[in-house]
């Protein structure tokens, strides 16, 4: 409407700024300082490399005039990627470092791999035993007419392990917290800064304040919005097994029928597991949610939120209860009404509303541990890339082939 247009025009003419976004990057692992636009740094730059090699041996043996065997073996090695300047980030301790304060201390980040301060450490361990056999046979059966029926069978084993292409590269593409300043994985959006007082082009200053120093762990009372991606220490190379069994029968001089079974089995397929999914079962949160949703009061919310004001008055557990406050609060009432128990748990775990601190609701009374909802409250997502996947494919394939023995006349 005209009022909105006039307001936008006034903001433009006065130089009013809602917020600033600025990205920062590290360019030298031996000089851990975030650089920004004023230093000539405009983009996150990483130069990833990975080595691989393979060899194979295969041969055919004519065991009998009617029987041929094919035997072979293949070997693949896919090296762990490294960043050319030594800027490959990883959690200190690797996989074990993901649990953070659940294991006693905050998750920290370090540079690993070739050209880094820790050249003897890798993002994960090498996988050396990738031997892949193959076998096949073709047998013209002596029954039901000479060379009328052929049996074929085969078995093959293949590794699929390229580490820096396609979906396999998620831990590589992602921005490891502490190695890039405010550049969310895949978005390069930079840090978002909103000044408490009126912000305009007249009082805008760059660079904007940094939340954390390079390689320092995200704070427990920070935004809790970052994601961390780490590969399991002993992640293995996925492999695919292919097998088939086929009977071919000549029905006439120019007509054949093939009936085959074809199968495929994928093993140790790569995938990510989020270790930081909210817990609503072992902490009785689901029961408290259902009690609140039914219109009653749950003691756990009185304990957690006591002394806070969510808009209905200071919660004291009697005249103003935690459950009633959550049902009325504009941020949480829809979550309760719609049965979104996981989203409410996530809100209480990460939101800076009211307390201005991430985890402020959980920390408020001192009765609940930082890990009440998640394994590692420093982060939003804690993603462990390992080998959780598998696949199976079975098929029956039938084919009839009619050869054109007389041309098109």
């Amino acid at each position: 409407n005209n009022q909105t247009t006039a307001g936008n025009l006034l903001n433009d003419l006065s130089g009013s700024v809602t917020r600033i976004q600025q990205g920062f990057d590290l360019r030298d692992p031996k000089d851990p300082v975030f650089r920004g636009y004023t230093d000539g740094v405009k983009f996150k730059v990483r130069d990833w490399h990975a080595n691989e090699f393979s060899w194979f041996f295969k041969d055919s043996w004519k065991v009998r005039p009617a029987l041929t065997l094919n035997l072979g073996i293949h070997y693949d090695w896919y090296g762990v990627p490294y960043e050319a300047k030594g800027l490959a980030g990883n959690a200190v301790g690797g996989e074990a470092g993901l649990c953070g304060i659940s294991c006693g201390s905050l998750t920290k980040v370090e540079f690993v791999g070739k050209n880094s301060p820790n050249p003897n450490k890798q993002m994960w361990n090498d996988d050396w035993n990738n031997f892949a056999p193959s076998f096949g046979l073709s047998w013209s059966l002596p029954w039901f007419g000479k060379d009328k029926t052929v049996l074929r069978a085969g078995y093959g084993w293949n590794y699929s392990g390229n580490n820096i292409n396609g979906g396999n590269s998620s831990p590589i593409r992602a921005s490891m917290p502490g190695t890039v300043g405010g550049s969310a994985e895949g978005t390069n959006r930079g840090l978002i800064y909103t000044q408490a007082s009126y912000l305009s082009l007249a009082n805008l200053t760059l660079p904007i304040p940094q939340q954390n120093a390079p390689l320092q762990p995200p704070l427990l009372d920070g935004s809790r919005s970052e994601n961390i991606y780490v590969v399991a220490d002993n992640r293995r190379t996925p492999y695919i097994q292919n097998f088939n069994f086929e009977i071919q029968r000549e029905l006439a001089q120019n007509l054949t029928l093939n009936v085959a079974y074809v199968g495929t089995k994928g093993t140790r397929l790569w995938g990510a597991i989020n270790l930081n999914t909210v817990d609503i079962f072992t902490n009785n949160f689901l029961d408290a949610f259902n009690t609140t949703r039914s219109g009653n009061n749950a003691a756990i919310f009185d304990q957690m939120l006591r002394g806070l004001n969510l808009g209905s008055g200071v919660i004291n557990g009697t005249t103003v209860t935690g459950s009633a406050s959550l049902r009325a609060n504009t941020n949480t009432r829809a979550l309760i009404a719609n049965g979104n128990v996981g989203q409410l748990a996530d809100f209480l775990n990460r939101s800076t509303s009211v307390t201005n601190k991430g985890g402020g609701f959980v920390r408020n009374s001192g009765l609940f541990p930082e890990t009440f909802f998640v394994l590692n409250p420093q982060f939003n997502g804690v993603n462990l890339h390992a080998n959780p996947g598998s696949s199976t494919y079975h098929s029956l394939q039938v084919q009839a082939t009619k050869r054109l023995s007389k041309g098109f006349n």
Side-chain angles (χ1 to χ4, degrees):
N1 54 35
N2 292 335
Q3 184 177 357
T4 301
T5 303
N8 292 335
L9 181 61
L10 178 61
N11 289 334
D12 291 340
L13 293 176
S14 64
S16 178
V17 177
T18 302
R19 65 183 185 179
I20 309 169
Q21 293 181 223
Q22 183 176 1
F24 299 86
D25 193 16
L26 293 175
R27 291 300 169 84
D28 186 345
K30 299 178 179 62
D31 180 28
V33 176
F34 280 134
R35 308 292 183 184
Y37 292 113
T38 56
D39 305 298
V41 174
K42 297 182 179 180
F43 303 101
K44 169 190 169 186
V45 176
R46 296 294 184 269
D47 185 11
W48 289 100
H49 295 255
N51 299 317
E52 59 184 68
F53 69 82
S54 64
W55 56 260
F56 73 93
F57 170 81
K58 189 174 184 179
D59 203 353
S60 299
W61 285 271
K62 193 81 168 179
V63 180
R64 294 181 179 180
L67 177 62
T68 301
L69 296 180
N70 297 288
L71 298 174
I73 189 169
H74 193 278
Y75 177 81
D76 292 289
W77 176 77
Y78 299 95
V80 177
Y82 65 91
E83 205 282 325
K85 295 182 179 179
L87 293 171
N90 198 33
V92 175
E95 178 182 348
L98 287 180
C99 59
I101 61 170
S102 289
C103 298
S105 61
L106 295 178
T107 296
K108 299 179 181 179
V109 174
E110 64 183 348
F111 289 121
V112 299
K114 185 177 179 180
N115 301 323
S116 78
N118 300 287
N120 296 324
K121 295 182 179 180
Q122 298 186 135
M123 296 181 69
W124 63 90
N125 298 325
D126 284 300
D127 183 13
W128 292 101
N129 60 343
N130 300 329
F131 292 93
S134 61
F135 165 80
L137 69 85
S138 177
W139 182 21
S140 180
L141 301 180
W143 307 286
F144 315 114
K146 180 176 174 57
D147 296 331
K148 296 289 187 181
T149 305
V150 179
L151 182 150
R152 297 184 179 90
Y155 172 81
W157 186 309
N158 300 283
Y159 285 93
S160 174
N162 190 299
N163 290 307
I164 57 176
N165 288 330
N168 300 335
S169 63
S170 294
I172 310 301
R173 295 195 314 268
S175 298
M176 179 65 67
T179 66
V180 177
S183 186
E185 54 279 350
T187 64
N188 292 317
R189 64 177 182 171
L191 288 172
I192 297 175
Y193 173 66
T194 302
Q195 190 169 290
S197 59
Y198 173 72
L199 181 62
S200 71
L201 295 177
N203 62 6
L204 183 154
T205 59
L206 293 175
I208 63 177
Q210 286 283 306
Q211 292 180 347
N212 300 308
L215 299 183
Q216 296 303 306
L219 302 176
L220 282 172
D221 60 359
S223 66
R224 298 192 173 189
S225 61
E226 294 186 273
N227 298 311
I228 187 170
Y229 299 79
V230 170
V231 177
D233 297 340
N234 294 312
R235 185 174 77 163
R236 294 294 178 250
T237 305
Y239 61 88
I240 308 296
Q241 299 174 80
N242 300 289
F243 28 87
N244 63 80
F245 183 87
E246 174 186 333
I247 294 288
Q248 176 181 298
R249 175 66 181 178
E250 182 180 293
L251 302 179
Q253 185 177 358
N254 57 359
L255 178 63
T256 59
L257 177 66
N258 294 63
V259 179
Y261 162 76
V262 177
T264 300
K265 176 70 171 68
T267 305
R268 294 178 178 171
L269 302 182
W270 283 340
I273 302 172
N274 184 6
L275 305 181
N276 234 30
T277 53
V278 291
D279 178 16
I280 61 172
F281 299 106
T282 63
N283 53 14
N284 297 319
F285 184 80
L286 178 59
D287 293 337
F289 178 88
N290 289 331
T291 298
T292 300
R293 193 180 184 208
S294 66
N296 296 311
N297 296 314
I300 190 174
F301 292 136
D302 291 335
Q303 298 166 0
M304 180 180 292
L305 305 175
R306 186 176 298 274
L308 299 179
N309 187 343
L310 275 62
S312 303
V314 177
I315 297 171
N316 54 26
T318 54
T319 58
V320 181
T321 66
S323 292
S325 296
L326 289 172
R327 286 193 295 266
N329 183 267
T330 55
N331 293 316
T332 57
R333 61 191 181 193
L335 301 180
I336 295 173
N338 295 328
N340 297 325
V341 56
Q343 292 184 38
L344 180 62
D346 181 66
F347 174 85
L348 294 174
N349 176 60
R350 296 196 301 121
S351 176
T352 59
S353 174
V354 181
T355 67
N356 295 317
K357 299 287 186 180
F361 292 121
V362 177
R363 194 179 305 113
N364 171 64
S365 65
L367 300 176
F368 301 89
E370 293 280 356
T371 56
F372 182 74
F373 286 114
V374 295
L375 173 74
N376 190 339
Q378 288 175 254
F379 305 96
N380 178 18
V382 176
N383 299 282
L384 179 65
H385 284 255
N387 301 92
S390 63
S391 65
T392 304
Y393 169 78
H394 300 285
S395 69
L396 175 65
Q397 302 179 9
V398 180
Q399 174 181 319
T401 304
K402 176 70 167 65
R403 294 187 297 275
L404 301 175
S405 57
K406 297 183 179 180
F408 294 97
N409 294 327

